[in-house]
Amino acid sequence: MARVPFIGRLFWREYIALAGSLILIFLEGLIRVITLGLPQPVIGFCYNRSKNLFNSLSSTQSNHSSSRQKSIVSSIAGSSDFVDLCGLFGYYAEEHVVQTGDGYLLGLHRLCWRKGEEDVRVNAGEGSVQKRAVYLHHGLLMNSEVWVCMTEQQRCLPFILVEKGYDVWLGNNRGNKYSKKSTRFSPSSNSFWDFSMDQFAFHDIPDSIDYVLATTSQPSLSYVGFSQGTAQAFATLSIHPTLNDKIDVFIALAPAMSPAGLRNGVVDSLVKASPEVLFLAFGRRSILSSATMWQSILYPPIFVRILDMSLSFLFNWSGRNITYSQKLAAYPHLYSFTSTKCVVHWFQIIRNKSFQMYDDDVQTPLGLGASDRYYKVAKFPTRNIKTPVVLIYGGSDSLVDIKVMLKELPRHTTAKEVPHYEHLDFLWGQEVESLVFPHVFESLTAYAGRDHMYSSTVLYGNRRQKRLVLGEDSEDDYSSPANDDMTELNAEANRNRARYDDARVTPSPKKRSPSSFIDQKSLLSSSSTEHNSASADGSSDLGQAGSKTDSVFGRNRKYTNKRNKSIIRATSNGSTKKVSEGGIALGAGKATTGIINSPSPPSRNMDRTLKRTS
């Protein structure tokens, strides 16, 4: 694109922001060089002096309070990894590695055993205990440790989910502590760090989910994301239509899509600067990598105070809902590596007020051709998401504009506000077990293991006036369809269900082609040998009705649809399953193998079936 020479390179505010950031980075680099050059005894002396100074300035009551919880807090803060953190509470964790399509190796963690249940085989094939899978994903500059560094077990979501009988998986983004390896690039090269949220959406999330489903042999899983973990789910579900069949419900904690900006004006100007400024300021590899240095040389309470001041300066968060002991335990696990490009991607989203893909050809304010008339960045088509979406957000979270967000999401999205909660409170806040967890469990109970492609309108319609909608008595058009629209949707869903019940009458054998009839046992055999897929509806551990049947087909009838060469099975719960020449779709969560013909709306399929069999 043509640009105005010299002056069109940057806007005047960007020059100011660039100068300020360069000064700060120079000072940080100078301090880091001095610190690295000091002998260890000198660093230890400074650390101890800062500790004594802090203790002398602190009140006697706070010192006594800290000493009572010193054991558990110091154990959590000093734990080296995810497995050690889980071991503190008596849970055994597995470590897995996933290779993405572009060669990155991602670390996954798994919690599938209750305490004392370590010898039980879970989701390991025939004869093992079947549990529904739940996948949790962290936020920006984090890793999976943020979910389990709690001072109390009852406030730890993964542990509670395990005790409720779920197979819990926790993912990690490329570049962080558990995913800092690639088959193609070295972490010391710029190419390794050349990724943004686009790569998370196109590779990391879908590849991790496919690995979990393949390992557990489950038809689908439930997704729980925090902050950027929700944005990654929004992005990947919008560009991968088939992934919607593998996720039965998406629960977004402190959802992030297009934040309005940062509180501080100077920093906000830096955020909205061009990528060239940001790359010059932070480099093209990992961002804020010196944070680990500051953590090692600062006394933990001082490190906590600095972080609190930084969060207040940037986002206007008070941190009042997180106890001081929880901060001491969790803040050491808060930071993990990510690329500068990923942060720049967020800055572009904030600057353009659009949940878009990464812009590789950013136009400067005075650049010729900068108008949207000539150039437009591709947006993530989030309205295409078919998976049920439940938003749980904080009323005091400066990064969430719920009305703007709901305008960009499908109409079946529901939301629930926790009035006084800020962003990090959804991880470590007080009373999280009573203010947040019930909505998570309610959503899992309502949608996990169901065929959401059919039942979402019924479920959302019935629950519209209940706890998951935007406000207890809200009539906001953004949270769900209008009353008239929802009534019409429910009526259509009820008519479909009536057609399914009528279709359970067995047709005359004379009108069924022998070639179109497939015996239940032979179908199961062919699907397991040719496609290696054996999935069952429901979980015996959770008491699902599907576990009572002798096979995944149970006693349901099958009808021939000659037009698309598939068999449509009418079930008692009103959902449809399809078997085509190239593959099979099984289970209430729509597990898919092979090539499946695109399903028609349930009512039309059944109308054609009844006409051909009557």
Side-chain angles (χ1 to χ4, degrees):
M1 293 291 182
R3 301 176 185 270
V4 178
F6 187 71
I7 62 173
R9 296 177 182 175
L10 297 174
F11 196 58
W12 66 271
R13 287 180 301 180
E14 296 175 353
Y15 283 107
I16 298 176
L18 174 61
S21 62
L22 289 178
I23 294 174
L24 293 176
I25 292 172
F26 173 78
L27 292 176
E28 182 192 30
L30 180 62
I31 296 174
R32 187 174 186 181
V33 171
I34 295 175
T35 303
L36 293 176
L38 292 175
Q40 188 64 34
V42 176
I43 297 177
F45 174 79
C46 296
Y47 178 88
N48 291 331
R49 294 301 298 174
S50 65
K51 175 181 178 181
N52 295 334
L53 178 62
F54 180 87
N55 290 335
S56 63
L57 296 176
S58 301
S59 63
T60 304
Q61 182 179 0
S62 64
N63 290 335
H64 179 66
S65 177
S66 298
S67 62
R68 288 183 304 186
Q69 300 184 6
K70 181 178 179 180
S71 177
I72 183 64
V73 170
S74 60
S75 298
I76 295 174
S79 296
S80 60
D81 57 20
F82 182 91
V83 175
D84 288 346
L85 285 168
C86 295
L88 293 175
F89 295 93
Y91 290 95
Y92 180 81
E94 291 182 350
E95 295 181 289
H96 295 253
V97 177
V98 180
Q99 181 172 342
T100 65
D102 56 348
Y104 283 80
L105 303 181
L106 311 179
L108 289 182
H109 294 109
R110 184 187 189 187
L111 292 166
C112 61
W113 293 290
R114 300 185 180 99
K115 293 180 181 179
E117 197 183 53
E118 290 79 7
D119 295 334
V120 177
R121 296 172 64 245
V122 176
N123 289 339
E126 185 178 356
S128 63
V129 175
Q130 298 297 302
K131 297 185 178 183
R132 296 176 186 164
V134 178
Y135 179 88
L136 281 69
H137 205 87
H138 59 79
L140 178 66
L141 293 167
M142 297 179 179
N143 60 54
S144 55
E145 293 176 11
V146 298
W147 295 101
V148 294
C149 55
M150 309 294 293
T151 56
E152 299 169 341
Q153 179 179 329
Q154 65 268 21
R155 294 191 297 114
C156 183
L157 181 59
F159 296 159
I160 301 301
L161 289 173
V162 170
E163 292 299 328
K164 285 182 171 291
Y166 290 94
D167 187 353
V168 182
W169 293 75
L170 302 97
N172 287 283
N173 285 337
R174 63 181 64 193
N176 77 4
K177 176 179 178 179
Y178 297 101
S179 307
K180 205 172 181 179
K181 188 172 181 58
S182 170
T183 59
R184 300 171 58 193
F185 309 113
S186 168
S188 61
S189 65
N190 290 346
S191 299
F192 178 90
W193 300 99
D194 187 23
F195 60 83
S196 67
M197 198 156 54
D198 293 356
Q199 282 67 44
F200 299 155
F202 280 100
H203 297 288
D204 291 15
I205 298 298
D207 291 345
S208 297
I209 290 176
D210 285 342
Y211 178 87
V212 171
L213 295 180
T215 304
T216 61
S217 298
Q218 292 298 300
S220 63
L221 55 77
S222 302
Y223 186 107
V224 180
F226 168 76
S227 190
Q228 182 181 276
T230 68
Q232 294 175 211
F234 288 135
T236 194
L237 287 172
S238 68
I239 59 178
H240 294 288
T242 57
L243 193 63
N244 287 262
D245 295 341
K246 302 176 183 178
I247 300 178
D248 43 45
V249 63
F250 166 32
I251 304 171
L253 305 179
M257 181 177 289
S258 54
L262 301 182
R263 173 175 177 259
N264 185 270
V266 176
V267 181
D268 191 61
S269 298
L270 178 62
V271 166
K272 297 175 181 178
S274 64
E276 288 82 359
V277 176
L278 300 169
F279 284 127
L280 182 60
F282 299 106
R284 291 188 174 271
R285 298 181 186 177
S286 62
I287 191 170
L288 300 178
S289 57
S290 60
T292 55
M293 176 204 69
W294 292 108
Q295 182 177 336
S296 64
I297 67 175
L298 291 176
Y299 184 50
I302 297 178
F303 181 71
V304 168
R305 293 289 178 87
I306 293 176
L307 274 182
D308 280 341
M309 292 172 59
S310 301
L311 294 175
S312 176
F313 178 77
L314 295 174
F315 308 109
N316 197 27
W317 297 340
S318 64
R320 289 191 296 266
N321 297 320
I322 305 177
T323 63
Y324 182 67
S325 59
Q326 180 62 67
K327 293 178 181 178
L328 286 173
Y331 278 9
H333 301 279
L334 176 60
Y335 173 81
S336 195
F337 300 100
T338 193
S339 68
T340 302
K341 186 176 181 179
C342 183
V343 177
V344 170
H345 189 177
W346 273 112
F347 289 175
Q348 291 180 357
I349 291 174
I350 295 173
R351 180 183 186 181
N352 298 327
K353 299 180 180 179
S354 172
F355 190 53
Q356 63 181 41
M357 299 182 187
Y358 184 81
D359 188 359
D360 295 286
D361 188 20
V362 178
Q363 302 296 313
T364 60
L366 298 181
L368 299 179
S371 172
D372 289 343
R373 179 178 179 183
Y374 304 102
Y375 181 74
K376 187 174 181 62
V377 185
K379 293 179 59 177
F380 290 107
T382 50
R383 293 183 181 179
N384 295 344
I385 297 175
K386 300 299 186 295
T387 295
V389 180
V390 179
L391 309 179
I392 307 175
Y393 67 99
S396 300
D397 190 349
S398 60
L399 295 182
V400 177
D401 189 335
I402 194 63
K403 289 189 176 182
V404 172
M405 185 178 298
L406 288 170
K407 286 180 181 178
E408 300 299 324
L409 292 174
R411 290 174 63 84
H412 61 249
T413 302
T414 59
K416 177 63 181 179
E417 178 185 359
V418 182
H420 61 285
Y421 257 36
E422 296 174 340
H423 205 68
L424 293 176
D425 297 344
F426 287 90
L427 288 176
W428 306 320
Q430 300 181 76
E431 303 180 15
V432 67
E433 71 279 10
S434 60
L435 297 177
V436 178
F437 291 179
H439 301 301
V440 175
F441 303 147
E442 184 180 25
S443 301
L444 291 175
T445 302
Y447 302 110
R450 294 180 181 268
D451 185 358
H452 64 79
M453 303 302 287
Y454 164 76
S455 61
S456 61
T457 56
V458 177
L459 290 170
Y460 282 114
N462 292 340
R463 308 180 74 86
R464 183 174 184 270
Q465 300 297 331
K466 295 186 180 180
R467 290 183 290 273
L468 288 180
V469 297
L470 180 58
E472 293 296 325
D473 298 317
S474 174
E475 295 295 333
D476 195 304
D477 290 336
Y478 301 124
S479 62
S480 61
N483 286 334
D484 294 338
D485 294 339
M486 183 57 70
T487 302
E488 182 179 352
L489 289 174
N490 287 339
E492 177 64 22
N494 292 333
R495 288 194 294 269
N496 293 341
R497 184 181 298 276
R499 294 191 183 100
Y500 277 60
D501 294 337
D502 294 339
R504 296 180 63 189
V505 180
T506 305
S508 173
K510 295 181 180 180
K511 296 185 179 182
R512 297 185 63 185
S513 172
S515 62
S516 66
F517 178 79
I518 302 179
D519 183 71
Q520 296 175 4
K521 295 183 179 180
S522 63
L523 180 57
L524 285 175
S525 175
S526 63
S527 64
S528 60
T529 56
E530 296 181 12
H531 306 289
N532 295 323
S533 63
S535 304
D537 289 354
S539 168
S540 59
D541 197 70
L542 296 177
Q544 298 301 307
S547 61
K548 298 179 181 180
T549 59
D550 296 333
S551 68
V552 294
F553 289 103
R555 296 186 298 271
N556 299 303
R557 306 291 193 264
K558 299 181 292 295
Y559 301 91
T560 303
N561 186 330
K562 298 180 180 179
R563 181 175 182 180
N564 55 19
K565 298 181 180 179
S566 63
I567 292 178
I568 300 176
R569 182 169 59 89
T571 65
S572 59
N573 65 0
S575 60
T576 60
K577 312 291 187 275
K578 296 187 62 181
V579 181
S580 69
E581 293 180 342
I584 180 171
L586 299 178
K590 302 282 290 183
T592 306
T593 62
I595 302 173
I596 306 298
N597 294 335
S598 300
S600 303
S603 60
R604 297 180 181 176
N605 276 342
M606 191 51 59
D607 288 341
R608 290 197 296 267
T609 303
L610 294 176
K611 290 179 180 179
R612 287 171 170 77
T613 57
S614 60

